[in-house]
Each structure stands twice: as structure tokens, then as C-alpha cells.
Amino acid sequence: MSRATLAKKNALPLKEAGLFKELLSQYENRLLKKGLKTAEQILKKFPEHGETLCMKGLLLTHMGRREEGIDLVKKGIRFDLTSHICWHVFGLIQKADKNYEEALRSYTQALRFDSENINLLRDSAQLQTQLRLFDNLVETRHHLLRLRPNLRQNWVALAVAYHLNGNLDEAKRVIEQYLYSLKNVPNYDVELSETLLYYVNILEQSGDLSGALSELDTKSKSRAIVDRTAVLTTRARLLTKLASPEAGDSWKALIDHNPDNLESYRGYLADQGVSLDDPTSALEAIPHLKAFAKTYPKASVPVRLQLTILPASDPEFSTLITNYLERALKKGVPSIFADLKALYSDLEKRKIVETIAENIKQQNFAAVEEKPSKVDEQKEPTTYLWTLYFLAQHYSYVPPSTTVVPNHKLALEYVNNALSHTPTLPELYLLKGRILKRGGDFLGAASAMNEARILDGQDRFLNTKAGKYLLRAGMVEEASRLFGMFTKKDAESPGHDLEDMQSLLFLLEEGDAFKRVGKPNLALKRYMAVKKIFDTIEDDQFDFHGYNLRKFTLNVYLTLLTWEDTLRSHPGYVNAAIKASNIFVEVSDDPSIVKALTTTDHLSDAEKKARKKAKKAAVKAQEDKKSTQTSNADKELEAPPPKDDDPEGLKLIASTDGLEQAAKLLQPLTKLAPKNIDVWLAIHDVAIRRKKLLQAVGALHKAASLDAEHPELHIRLVDLKQRGKTFSDLPAPVNSTFTEELEKLIPEAASQSLENYNAQYLQRHSAESRCILAAAKVAKSLSGSVQDVENIVFNVFGPEVSLDIKTALSALSLLVSLSSQRKDEFRAAAQKHFEFSTAFKAPSELEEMHKYVLAESTADGKPASAESTTPEKK
Amino acid sequence: MSSNNTTTPLKVSLSSITPNNIGTVRKLNSVLFPIKYSEKFYKDIQAPEVEDFCKLGVFFSVTSDTLRAEQLITKYLVYYNDIPVGTICCRQETVDGQNVLYLMTMGILAPYRSRKLGSQTLSAILTAAAAHKPKVDKIYLHVQVSNEDAKRFYESHDFKEIRVHENYYKKITPADAWVLEKAFS
């Protein structure tokens, strides 16, 4: 902290002023205890000295006495509103609280009284970057450079600030001056190299392509730019943009650098006027790719690209794919199916692959004999094995947006054959689990995954898979036990550790599992934990505003900032936001959900006991924490993670501002995930309940532009039309716009008879199970007649209809929610439809089956105790 | 010291049995042998005293000469193209003051037989045993009297039949077993 002259009217006498100086230096050297003593010494005589009070508060906060400290700081400011030290301290604490806006305000106050304080300015700049206040950032950086022009970092920092503020010309000018002033730079200096590359990027972005190229060429020749890959990529990109004849060679150099980088091929072909995204143009790529395949026989990209481009009818395709597949199966490449399945969108290619794989299987088949008389050295038993593995995946996979009917039964037969051939390959059990899952046997799937896990107790991937499948099967506690083999032993629970480790997979899957087993409170808790992770990631960038500039890693820093701005487009966030807002909406529609959760009547004795135990444990953990709090170690300024006073998520789900929270969750997605129809549907659901009619109808417009016939949209439209009648008390302009917009989505004529409208929808989509289910839900809301709903729902078993497990399960839960008499009939029909499924069994039956999931089947078929076989974690 | 298997293909590798891959061993045993082994068997083969002289890296190849004398491994998983396809388990015993190795189980999955995997595995054990300190005096094992092939296999590795152990097997017939033995000089 700066020792600029203290404010006049609060000036301390000489002795205390000396003590105060000492206090400042003690703080800077983190001599917390000593500092505290010094502060108290001053306060004895001058108990109302604001700056000392603030410093004492700061010290206390560092020592873990947070609340006391903050109170003191606030008190101190009140005594001395014109002290930069007071405001600085307050800003520090707010910054540590991640309250960046308030912190910046305090810093600005502090700067009013000490405008040349380097520390204040630097911290302000970081806050301004975090808050994306680029105008102010430029100003601050300018100020810093004027104060310390000899610090190199200040130059690039200013350039970056201009750049972020969109002023490329100024950014360029600053960098140029900076480069000009540099003297005696050692060879191979990474800092300089980075700065030069950044300069080239600025030139390129400001449109001076030839300038950028010549700078790149001279500086890479003089070895000032040392990042070879960056030079090659930038060069190729620049030459292509300049339409230079050298561009082709530059891409070739990149391909030579790494012959398995698809982007380099893309660049080369684009330069040759070939676009891979346009099927007719792409054909012209073939001769080029053939040449590359010859030059780089080990690279897979040139061959794999040809497989995508060549039409299935071309005999060349068959030859290439045969070699490609055979080589992989002989070598034992487990991922070969994942590699090739993208080709399956062309059903003819799928057929060809199937024939070839079946052939390879035939060729390598060897009867499993006890004593083979003669061994064909050319036939590796593993080739046969991997071929079975490939084909099992093949038969159970449905390429997206095709009408392929999966043959899970055949797939299962193949994988079982493979298992009797070699029962020790974990991949086979994983696949078996996946096939069973697709067939609706979630319990069998979890069991297969567990078998794979037991084969290798050290493999966390297998462990996580087994845990995930248990969650899918609704066995939350068992899953947690498995996860616990790999989580920290001293964590409160495996779940806590996984949350600390920011495992989105775990939080989302466990949230879904809780939702399925009727614990929306815990589900919501997990989804909100996902949101918190994204908040943390966003906050974490703060440190980089200082770090990257200090290290001169400018190019990645700018990429980082852009990435942070689009952070919440991550599928994990989108998923959690939608699901959390769905729960908030459900609760707002039916507050009795919360009531049912908070009364303990329905709990079994065991559950009550568990709850008590958890409470006790929480109290104890709190006490433990207290007992450690007396130590003097520096706790840093950041607040310790607040005690979770709502471990069950009951307060969360009962929030009175649930819909507002939901709206906030969804808000960033309007820009970051505008192509996701579920986002718009969720936004509508929240908006309509918050009486934001125009936003609601606008969201449906967006949804309709993505897929006008989407089943969930159909439900919303009818619902909105019904609700529309009750919105008569709105201001006239809103009301008329709303009616107008709604009219565009669902014509007034249709609303005369929504029943008819629904019937027409059903007719249009009579072969799509999701649409049938939507029509059934609409019928429920229109007439409320259970019989109507039943009549529609059972259409999903029609011979023309493609029915999937998920839809069938939601249809069943619709019937259950209506207490339909025909729900058992539905269970039976679904069971018949999904032959080896267990998902449609009655809850009591499932309960019984849970017992056998983790039991290892022994040779005589009886389940052995799972406990004794569980490998211990090392 | 070097291994005597310089001609073997590189596809085979062995790794020692640990608590973590015991599930694979169980799976193999359940397919390979007509007997269901007790929990004690599995406990024994991962017991600390056996572990004591098995300080071996998880993976090593028979072809490389990593088998060092002090690292006598008495239990292996056999890998073929990185897939576990067989096991071998020995036990150390002291009989009449002699340091003896008893070969408890050895087996290779049916589709992978007749590829000299068994030979390579057994050779690895024999080589290691011969170089072990303190000295291993001999190695012995039981073979069911109906299993001529197995007997021939061991004889080709210089094992000698020394007697017939009558009623050795309790639950399978024939119940008698040959005792085969190989002494180390």
C-alpha cells in the first residue's frame, strides 16, 4: 500500500504516524499478529482513526475473523471518507468477495484521493477487464503507462486495452512504438516472439494482410518469432487470404508438419477451390487426397476424408473401406466403430460396411476347440474378437435422422459370442451394458458395467461408467459407494468431492437420477451446483488479467477472454439451466410438491434415522471448523466456502423467487444457445408464469422458427391460447401485440376448436411417438378426460410408429399421473415392444431386482456377495 | 540376466496379480478350470507375504530381459495383444527344509491355445525361479490323470512324473492326479 501523505484532518502525531507506517509494512509482509498489535497500540490513543480501524479490519479478515473485520472496515470508512487507504481496504475486501462492481466503485473513490497510486490503478484495470468496461480500461492503462513508461508490460497492456475496445489502429500504434523502443533483446526471447505474433495478428485483423505477411516472414527468418507451428498456420492463412500462389505450398508445409490435422487439409483444399462442405465440389478433393495418402501412408486423415467424400456407389469406396476396416480390426483399434459411424448417415455406406465386417468375421471364424489341431498363424483370435465387437455396435446403433431400426437382439447375440470367446475384455461388458440400456434394461446395463469395473479395479473410467449406469437405474446410493472408491477419503461424501472437482457429468447425472426417483429438491440442488461451477470459472479468469500480461502470453489471453464470454454455451450449463428452470416452473404450478417434500410423514424410519445422522454430522463438521479457526495462519481475503445450511435443497426449492432465478439462469442462453429449441421453450415457460407475455410469445416465435411442428411447441401453443383468455386485465398495447403475435403462431380460427387443432396435429404426425404423446398431453389439458388421453397414448404402439424408450417412459408416467386404469396394460404392451427391457416393470418388482445388479454372478449362476469382491482402492 | 525366449513374438506380455486385477483372474479361473476356487485362494495369491518378493512393475514383456532374480513372480496374468487371456499362479512352500515352488494353476483361454503362450509363460516362471535367491530347489504340480496333453506339455519342459496322488480331487473324476516335478540344479 502506498505511503502517500495521510489526509490532513486525520493526521496522527509523529509517534503514531510512525507506528502507522510500520503497520502498513507489517501488513505487506503478512506479519498479521504483529500488525494487529501495532494497530491496537494506535487505537488506544486514537480510537476513531479511520485508517487504522480499516487496517485492523483487514488484518482480522486475513486471520479468519471475517465478520468482525468487515465491520471494522466499514466503521473506519465512516470516520474517514476521504482516505484512499480506507477505500482501498474496502475495495480489497469486496474484490475478494467477487463483488467486482462494488470493488471497482471503492477503487474509483480511492483514486479520487490518490490518483497516482500504481497499485490502485493496476487493480482497477483488472476489475475493468473483468467487468468488460473497455473504455475505462483504456483510460486506466494509459494513466499507468504515463506513470511508468519504462515498464514493458504497461505498453502491451495498453495495446491490449485498445484492442479489446475495438480500436485496432491505436493498438497497432502502441505496439509499434513499443517494438521500436526495445533494445538488446536476447535471442530466442519468447516474450518478444509472442509480442511479434500479436502484432502480426493485429495487422491481419485490421486488414493489412501483406503487412502482416512481410512482418511474419522477416521476423520468423530472423528467428525473432520462435513458435514454428504458429508461424506455419498464420502464414498459410495469410497467403490464402491474399490469394497468393504460394498458399498451396504453405498448407502443404503444415500437412507435412502434422499429416493428421484435418484443418490443414481443409485449408489446402479450400485454397485449391475445393469446399469439403459441398458434396459436388468435394469430389474434386479425391485426387489431392490420394496423393497425400501416398505421401503419408501412416496418416489416417487423407483416407478417412475420402471415405466421407466418395459416394457409396463408387467401387473405390468399397476398396478403401475394406482396407481401412481390416487394418483396424487386425490391429485391434477399439474406437474404429466410433470413427466410422459418421458414415452411416448414408445408409448405403452402412450396408457396405456391414457386408465387409460380416465377411471379415467369416474369414476369421475359427471354432473354439479344446485342442485345436492346427493353428492358422494368419488368423489372429483377436481379429475375430474385435470384429464381433464392431458388429455388435453396428447392429445396435441408430444413425441420427435415419429410420434404421436397431437390432438390439442380434447385437446382444454378437456381444455374448464375443464374451464367451474372451471373457476378460472390459470393452465387451461396456458395450453389452450400452445395448441393454438402449433396449430399456437399465438394471442389466448397470450390472454389465459393474462386471467390467470388477475386471480392473484401478480403472476410474470403468468405475465412473458403472456409477453413471447405476444412477440411470435409479440406484443413487449404490452409485455413490462406487464413486467413493476414487474420491478423497476425507471428503464429507463422494458427492462433495466430485462437486469440488467440478464434475459436471456427476452433478448432471445425479440430478437427473434424483429427479427420476422423486427428489426434485436434490435434483435442483445439483443443477444449481453446476451453475455455481460456471460462476467460479468466470470468476477464475480474474487472475489471468494480471498473469497473462505479466507473462506476455497475449494471443492465448485474448482467446481466453472470448471463450469466457461464451462460457455458458457449454452443453453442461445449458442442460442444467433448462432442467433447473423446469423444476422451478413445476413448483410454481404446483406448490404442493414442496409441501410434500418438507413433511416427514412419508419417510420411512430408516430415512428419518439417516436424516438425523446427517444433521449430527453437519453440526460436528461445523464444530471442527470452529476449533481450527483460532490459528493465526493467513486465511487470505477470500471468504471460506459458506456452510451449507440447506444440504437437502429444501429451502432452494421453496424459494419464493424461483421463477426469477430461473429467468436469470436462462437469460445468457438467448445469445449463447439460440439454436437450441429447448432453451426457447424453457424461456417461454418461465416468462408466461412471470406474466411477461411478449417475452413468452417471442420465445415461441423463436422456437417455431427452429421447428414449427415440435411436439413440445404444440403443447405450449395450445396452452398459451387457453391462458390467453385469462389475460384480459393487461394494458391495451401489450394485449393487442400479444394477441397479434399469438395469432401468427396459432390462427384464431383454430382456437375456436382446440380439440380439432389437436386432432389435426395428431393426424399430421401419426407415426411419431413424441408427437402422439404431445397430443395426449394436450387432450389432457383440454378435456381432462382420462379416456381421451388413454385412447391417444396407446397409438404409440401402432405398427407404423417409431417408439423409443424415453417417450414410452414419459407416456407411462403420464398415465400413472392420471391414475389411469390402463397403466398396467401399457406396461405389458411396452414390455412386449421392448423385449428385454426392465424399465416398464412395476416399482415393487424393480426394487426386488435392484438387489442383483451389483451381485457378481458366479459360475453356478447364483449371485455372490458383492461386498467381498469389491476391490479396494489403492 | 537375460531370458531364454528370444524367439517369442512380441505379442505376449505378463503382469503380476494385484488386488486391482483380481476380478480378471476370477473371471479367467471361472472359465478355465472345473473347480471353483475358494475365497481363501484369492486372498492367498494377493497376500502381503507373497507380494514381498513380487515387487514387479505392472506390465512387462517376457521378451525383454526384465525378469530379475530377486523379482520372482509366482502369479501372472498373461496378455495377448493387450488382452488378458491366461493366468499362472504359484505358491512358495518349504518341504523338508527345501525351498519349493508349487504351481497351483495355469491356464490359457481356448481361442488362444496352441500359440505357445503356455510355454512362454511357464518358461518365464522357470527362468525366474532358476535365478531366484535364496535358491529354489524344485517346482512341482498336480495334473489330473486323464489329462495326457497337460502331462506331455510339462514333460517337454523337463518335468518328471514322480508319483500318483490318489484321490487328490474331491469333486471331479478321475480323482487321481500325477505329481510332476522339476528340480533346479
Side-chain angles (χ1 to χ4, degrees), chain A residues 368-372 375-376 379-382 385 421-424 429 451 454-458 871-872 874, chain B residues 11 19-24 26-28 30-31 36 39 80-81 83-85 109-115 149:
Chain A
V368 174
E369 300 164 61
E370 212 32 48
K371 298 175 274 180
V375 168
D376 185 346
K379 278 188 200 168
E380 293 283 354
T382 44
L385 181 68
H421 183 275
T422 304
T424 48
Y429 295 91
E451 261 189 282
I454 288 170
L455 289 180
D456 189 350
Q458 244 171 338
E872 269 153 44
K874 276 258 161 161
Chain B
K11 292 168 200 158
N20 284 316
N21 58 24
I22 201 77
T24 303
R26 277 170 190 278
K27 184 64 82 183
L28 281 168
S30 74
V31 186
K36 186 177 176 280
E39 284 306 311
Y80 182 73
N81 284 351
I83 298 170
V85 297
L109 286 174
Y112 303 87
R113 283 177 200 159
S114 301
R115 285 166 195 276
D149 286 331

Side-chain angles (χ1 to χ4, degrees), chain A residues 519-715:
Chain A
K519 293 180 177 167
N521 47 324
L522 283 167
L524 186 59
K525 180 106 183 149
R526 297 294 176 270
Y527 298 142
M528 292 308 263
V530 172
K531 181 220 169 225
K532 262 185 223 147
I533 288 178
F534 282 89
D535 290 345
T536 312
I537 296 176
E538 202 172 315
D539 288 337
D540 283 347
Q541 73 174 297
F542 188 88
D543 296 335
F544 292 103
H545 302 321
Y547 178 84
N548 287 64
L549 292 176
R550 206 163 62 236
K551 293 279 176 198
F552 284 78
T553 46
L554 310 172
N555 300 297
V556 290
Y557 174 58
L558 288 164
T559 322
L560 169 82
L561 290 187
T562 333
W563 178 79
E564 292 279 1
D565 286 340
T566 56
L567 177 64
R568 280 161 211 263
S569 64
H570 188 284
Y573 180 83
V574 178
N575 199 348
I578 293 176
K579 283 176 173 160
S581 79
N582 286 347
I583 293 179
F584 279 128
V585 164
E586 272 169 44
V587 171
S588 131
D589 285 354
D590 181 5
S592 73
I593 296 175
V594 177
K595 221 172 157 195
L597 288 169
T598 39
T599 52
T600 47
D601 304 342
H602 64 284
L603 291 181
S604 68
D605 284 349
E607 274 179 298
K608 275 182 196 165
K609 240 180 227 169
R611 226 173 242 202
K612 244 185 210 165
K613 213 172 136 193
K615 228 178 209 173
K616 255 187 204 164
V619 170
K620 194 166 174 286
Q622 196 58 20
E623 278 168 1
D624 286 351
K625 225 175 245 169
K626 262 185 201 156
S627 66
T628 56
Q629 223 163 52
T630 42
S631 75
N632 279 311
D634 187 354
K635 296 278 192 297
E636 289 302 326
L637 278 183
E638 256 175 62
K643 183 193 154 247
D644 190 356
D645 58 354
D646 184 24
E648 296 282 307
L650 289 169
K651 285 183 194 161
L652 177 64
I653 201 169
S655 320
T656 46
D657 65 340
L659 290 175
E660 280 70 32
Q661 288 193 45
K664 256 187 222 148
L665 279 173
L666 295 168
Q667 202 280 326
L669 299 183
T670 54
K671 287 218 171 60
L672 295 177
K675 296 266 182 245
N676 187 334
I677 192 164
D678 296 325
V679 165
W680 293 111
L681 294 170
I683 289 175
H684 157 268
D685 293 348
V686 174
I688 195 72
R689 285 164 182 82
R690 296 175 70 211
K691 304 269 185 306
K692 312 260 183 207
L693 297 192
L694 297 185
Q695 193 194 1
V697 79
L700 289 192
H701 263 296
K702 294 274 191 191
S705 70
L706 292 170
D707 178 4
E709 295 285 304
H710 195 279
E712 291 294 318
L713 178 62
H714 174 65
I715 298 175

Side-chain angles (χ1 to χ4, degrees), chain B residues 110-158:
Chain B
Y112 303 87
R113 283 177 200 159
S114 301
R115 285 166 195 276
K116 305 245 176 281
L117 298 186
S119 280
Q120 288 175 55
T121 311
L122 186 60
S123 299
I125 291 282
L126 295 178
T127 316
H132 187 253
K133 290 198 177 77
K135 184 169 177 285
V136 176
D137 296 295
K138 61 182 183 184
I139 178 168
Y140 78 105
L141 59 105
H142 288 93
V143 172
Q144 199 178 8
V145 289
S146 55
N147 198 345
E148 292 279 352
D149 286 331
K151 190 180 179 213
R152 258 198 305 283
F153 169 75
Y154 288 110
E155 281 170 349
S156 73
H157 283 271
D158 295 336

Side-chain angles (χ1 to χ4, degrees), chain A residues 195-493:
Chain A
T195 318
L196 286 169
L197 272 176
Y198 176 59
Y199 178 53
V200 171
N201 279 340
I202 290 184
L203 289 175
E204 182 187 350
Q205 282 178 41
S206 58
D208 181 6
L209 296 175
S210 44
L213 184 65
S214 71
E215 179 72 15
L216 183 73
D217 279 349
T218 46
K219 292 294 165 20
S220 59
K221 264 191 202 105
S222 68
R223 306 275 168 85
I225 299 181
V226 291
D227 185 343
R228 232 180 91 68
T229 315
V231 170
L232 287 176
T233 349
T234 316
R235 190 155 194 280
R237 197 176 59 227
L238 287 170
L239 286 168
T240 310
K241 279 189 188 169
L242 284 163
S244 151
E246 282 176 70
D249 284 341
S250 68
W251 286 112
K252 272 189 174 165
L254 264 177
I255 291 172
D256 193 58
H257 192 63
N258 174 8
D260 267 317
N261 186 343
L262 178 60
E263 285 313 304
S264 309
Y265 290 90
R266 232 176 228 291
Y268 175 78
L269 293 169
D271 183 62
Q272 304 294 313
V274 181
S275 159
L276 288 177
D277 303 318
D278 167 14
T280 38
S281 162
L283 269 178
E284 295 163 31
I286 297 292
H288 296 291
L289 292 171
K290 267 190 189 160
F292 282 124
K294 219 174 221 165
T295 323
Y296 308 109
K298 278 190 178 168
S300 65
V301 171
V303 181
R304 183 63 187 76
L305 261 182
Q306 291 185 64
L307 291 177
T308 310
I309 296 166
L310 285 170
S313 54
D314 195 321
E316 190 102 12
F317 176 79
S318 299
T319 328
L320 271 182
I321 186 87
T322 310
N323 291 336
Y324 193 78
L325 186 58
E326 214 162 25
R327 189 173 138 189
L329 293 176
K330 273 195 181 143
K331 205 174 157 198
V333 177
S335 60
I336 181 65
F337 183 75
D339 179 12
L340 288 183
K341 70 181 181 187
L343 297 176
Y344 284 21
S345 53
D346 182 339
L347 292 184
E348 274 175 61
K349 285 189 181 175
R350 179 180 180 274
K351 190 74 214 155
I352 292 172
V353 173
E354 181 177 316
T355 318
I356 293 169
E358 283 287 357
N359 267 338
I360 298 177
K361 188 195 129 201
Q362 286 305 324
Q363 286 160 19
N364 285 280
F365 175 75
V368 174
E369 300 164 61
E370 212 32 48
K371 298 175 274 180
S373 41
K374 200 175 99 228
V375 168
D376 185 346
E377 289 290 337
Q378 292 307 304
K379 278 188 200 168
E380 293 283 354
T382 44
T383 310
Y384 180 63
L385 181 68
W386 288 116
T387 311
L388 287 177
Y389 177 66
F390 180 87
L391 280 165
Q393 294 174 85
H394 170 89
Y395 288 118
S396 122
Y397 176 70
V398 183
S401 58
T402 61
T403 50
V404 172
V405 181
N407 191 342
H408 297 314
K409 204 174 165 189
L410 184 61
L412 211 53
E413 197 185 305
Y414 272 72
V415 83
N416 281 334
N417 281 343
L419 278 171
S420 49
H421 183 275
T422 304
T424 48
L425 188 63
E427 279 86 346
L428 298 177
Y429 295 91
L430 295 182
L431 175 57
K432 185 175 177 179
R434 201 172 312 136
I435 297 169
L436 287 172
K437 175 195 77 177
R438 287 174 180 159
D441 180 6
F442 301 128
L443 296 173
S447 189
M449 291 297 176
N450 191 50
E451 261 189 282
R453 180 190 68 79
I454 288 170
L455 289 180
D456 189 350
Q458 244 171 338
D459 191 326
R460 192 170 190 176
F461 174 77
L462 298 178
N463 176 284
T464 306
K465 275 275 176 197
K468 175 171 136 180
Y469 272 62
L470 281 173
L471 287 175
R472 295 261 171 102
M475 297 168 68
V476 181
E477 275 169 44
E478 289 85 348
S480 166
R481 246 200 356 253
L482 283 199
F483 290 134
M485 293 173 175
F486 280 89
T487 54
K488 258 203 227 150
K489 287 285 166 276
D490 55 353
E492 214 170 301
S493 72

